[in-house]
Amino acid sequence: ALLLAIAYLGLLRIAANNEPLPPEDPNQPLDQLPNTRQVLLSGLHYLLPVVVLVWCLMVERLSPGLSAFWGSVILVVIVLTQRPLLNWMRKDGKHNYGSFKEGCIDLREGLVAGARNMIGIGIATATAGIIVGAVSQTGVGLVLADLVEMLSMGNLLLMLLLTAVLSLILGMGLPTTANYIVVSSLLAPVIVTLGEQHGLIVPLIAVHLFVFYFGIMADVTPPVGLASFAAAAVSKGDPIKTGLTAFYYSLRTAALPFLFIFNTDLLLIDVDWAHGIAIFIVSTVAMLIFAAATQGWFLTRNKWYEGVLLLLVAFTLFRPGYWVDLVVDPYQSTNPKVMTQTLESLEPGDVLRMRISGEDSVGKMREFSVLLEVPEGQSGQDRLDALGLETYQQDEKTFIDIVAFASPAEAAGLQFDQQIVDVRITVERVRKEWMWIPALLLFGLVVAMQRRRVAKELRLASA
């Protein structure tokens, strides 16, 4: 408390040493911005409630409600005491900041304005509660996987789009923690299950970030959009228009969660330090290029074909493996009958990709893919035993006979009597990062074209 008081007095001293801001006329049109430095120095003490809020949340580990309470208490103290303290600190007498009584009036008006602004947010929260209650009480979340599978008709990209839309719906009106719990428990298993059926095996953290991104995006998406209502209350704008504008801006970054799914390197999964630094730098450049393409302006206004080229460059920098996959298949199929020989030819730590068909743990017929890491072993049979698998042949097909308890095979969801349809191993091919070079060269071409056009415009303007 003593340190907080010293910081408060120090920041007030900075405000007192600067010329006070002129009074604001609410009827005057806002056609020019105030001086940033002057505004910042005169109001640094208003950052203290935010500091207290973050301190209570991160250091004291208080609940969000109690943390907001202490932040509000500090703000009330500032509103009541800043005027007399500023008068005391400013010795020249050129400006009268007001008295303690005026601070009480500011507090009363602030409480009234805050209550009015909360009316719209309260109505939006209540409306969202109806939707959340309907989802949780009717059990509709339990059939989301079947719904998405039916609507997507086996199309992987359409499945991700439908999951994103459902995440938006389920995230409406929920605070951040509850939002994550709902979308991760209801929709993350949808991507995992349907992805396995279509050969897309993604780390669980990438799946959770995908659904959580669109769940949080619901905060700015009409008709609920609680963050948009809060922003509109501050800016005195229309909540729906504010939400539509925020949703439009959010759509520009909606491609990033899809990149988490298709390029897990962006999440620094299984990368070394050098590779991680390179990915960080290239991804930053790609985000800037993507922003330039979507906003229609780089060095100058983009031509339509320049926007297309910039999007192509950004896509290549984000997911270079797409072009390599078109040329060389990343996996080579082998006959499941010779799986022991396949395991013997691989190095420990290599990944074995298996396509499985049969009943799952609840007796439902499905076809899915699993990844198994090749264990240590002297021979292929030793490695197969270490995986916890025993197989048998029937009618030229390979079936699982026994799955050992607490084995990697059991952890992957394999069951006895399931058929091993295909076994695929990773093939040696050119590193996907080489695709960054032609992408950067194409980006250099766009830069050259725009610089030439800018120079021409400057010559015409000066003529």
Side-chain angles (χ1 to χ4, degrees), residues 1-74:
L2 178 61
L3 183 61
L4 187 64
I6 294 174
Y8 176 44
L9 294 176
L11 294 177
L12 277 181
R13 183 67 181 176
I14 295 175
N17 290 336
N18 288 274
E19 196 67 24
L21 296 175
E24 181 181 355
D25 184 3
N27 299 319
Q28 184 179 0
L30 185 62
D31 52 5
Q32 68 180 90
L33 295 176
N35 184 275
T36 303
R37 185 177 183 276
Q38 186 180 8
V39 173
L40 181 63
L41 293 178
S42 63
L44 283 175
H45 51 287
Y46 287 115
L47 293 176
L48 290 178
V50 180
V51 173
V52 171
L53 175 65
V54 175
W55 177 272
C56 292
L57 284 172
M58 306 299 294
V59 179
E60 300 295 336
R61 300 297 180 92
L62 301 181
S63 66
L66 190 56
S67 300
F69 168 76
W70 286 115
S72 301
V73 168
I74 299 300

Side-chain angles (χ1 to χ4, degrees), residues 85-382:
L85 287 176
L86 285 172
N87 282 330
W88 174 64
M89 292 180 179
R90 193 172 181 92
K91 304 297 185 181
D92 55 9
K94 293 182 179 179
H95 185 78
N96 183 19
Y97 288 92
S99 62
F100 179 81
K101 182 179 178 180
E102 292 180 355
C104 295
I105 296 175
D106 291 339
L107 176 61
R108 184 194 65 190
E109 292 180 351
L111 292 174
V112 172
R116 288 174 177 170
N117 292 337
M118 282 301 298
I119 293 175
I121 298 177
I123 294 174
T125 305
T127 306
I130 297 175
I131 299 174
V132 174
V135 171
S136 60
Q137 295 299 320
T138 59
V140 66
L142 302 177
V143 297
L144 287 178
D146 295 334
L147 175 65
V148 172
E149 184 178 12
M150 179 186 68
L151 295 178
S152 63
M153 299 174 291
N155 187 293
L156 194 60
L157 188 58
L158 186 56
M159 179 266 291
L160 292 175
L161 288 173
L162 290 171
T163 307
V165 173
L166 290 175
S167 298
L168 276 172
I169 296 174
L170 293 179
M172 290 191 300
L174 294 179
T176 304
T177 305
N179 193 324
Y180 174 72
I181 293 173
V182 170
V183 297
S184 63
S185 59
L186 294 180
L187 294 173
V190 174
I191 297 181
V192 172
T193 302
L194 298 182
E196 288 178 349
Q197 293 181 12
H198 297 90
L200 178 66
I201 302 177
V202 186
L204 200 57
I205 184 175
V207 177
H208 280 221
L209 286 175
F210 180 88
V211 295
F212 187 45
Y213 180 93
F214 288 103
I216 290 297
M217 193 172 165
D219 286 343
V220 296
T221 304
V224 179
L226 298 184
S228 300
F229 275 81
V234 174
S235 65
K236 299 180 176 58
D238 181 80
I240 299 299
K241 290 183 179 179
T242 303
L244 290 173
T245 303
F247 178 69
Y248 171 71
Y249 288 146
S250 300
L251 283 179
R252 295 182 175 182
T253 58
L256 289 177
F258 290 90
L259 296 171
F260 293 159
I261 297 293
F262 293 106
N263 185 14
T264 57
D265 288 352
L266 294 174
L267 302 177
L268 305 181
I269 298 176
D270 296 331
V271 298
D272 54 30
W273 277 97
H275 193 194
I277 294 173
I279 290 174
F280 175 79
I281 295 173
V282 172
S283 299
T284 303
V285 174
M287 285 188 288
L288 296 175
I289 295 174
F290 182 78
T294 53
Q295 71 184 5
W297 187 281
F298 183 45
L299 300 179
T300 184
R301 185 175 298 278
N302 298 336
K303 301 288 187 181
W304 68 268
Y305 54 86
E306 291 174 340
V308 173
L309 292 177
L310 289 175
L311 287 175
L312 181 62
V313 170
F315 175 77
T316 305
L317 294 178
F318 275 129
R319 191 171 181 249
Y322 174 80
W323 306 109
V324 181
D325 292 344
L326 291 179
V327 179
V328 181
D329 196 317
Y331 302 103
Q332 176 185 348
S333 295
T334 61
N335 196 322
K337 293 192 296 185
V338 295
M339 190 160 58
T340 54
Q341 292 90 325
T342 302
L343 285 170
E344 189 170 355
S345 65
L346 298 175
E347 295 292 331
D350 289 345
V351 176
L352 196 68
R353 190 182 186 94
M354 300 173 61
R355 189 71 178 168
I356 307 297
S357 176
E359 294 184 355
D360 57 13
S361 57
V362 296
K364 183 179 179 180
M365 291 294 300
R366 68 188 187 102
E367 188 170 321
F368 59 98
S369 298
V370 297
L371 295 180
L372 292 175
E373 185 176 320
V374 177
E376 297 282 349
Q378 297 296 326
S379 64
Q381 186 60 47
D382 292 339

